Amino acid sequence: MKTLDILAVALLVAGGLNWGLVGLAKFDLVATIFGMRFGETSALSSAVYVLVGLAALYHAASFKAIQRRWAHSTAAAHR
């Protein structure tokens, strides 16, 4: 599960950076990566947006469980 947690966080960071760039500079990083202009979408860029949304839902639904797993992992490492 920890791998899924890390993957979800990476997607959330990427999504957050993209939205920050959209808000600050009208620059869509995902569109640029896939060779499109601001506001354009393709099947691949839509898949990225869906994965970011799923990562957000995953974290929202399992926030407490994730905290417990990470706290347990950190405590075990300090023994």
Side-chain angles (χ1 to χ4, degrees):
M1 279 305 240
K2 199 168 182 179
T3 301
L4 183 59
D5 297 342
I6 292 168
L7 179 61
V9 167
L11 284 166
L12 289 173
V13 168
L17 289 173
N18 192 59
W19 276 112
L21 288 168
V22 166
L24 289 172
K26 300 280 190 258
F27 178 77
D28 187 344
L29 181 62
V30 174
T32 301
I33 288 171
F34 292 108
M36 296 174 296
R37 287 178 284 165
F38 182 82
E40 292 182 327
T41 59
S42 69
L44 287 175
S45 65
S46 292
V48 170
Y49 296 134
V50 167
L51 288 173
V52 170
L54 290 173
L57 287 173
Y58 169 75
H59 264 277
S62 60
F63 185 71
K64 288 292 184 188
I66 291 168
Q67 284 182 318
R68 283 192 300 274
R69 278 197 301 276
W70 281 78
H72 175 71
S73 176
T74 303
H78 289 324
R79 290 183 191 165

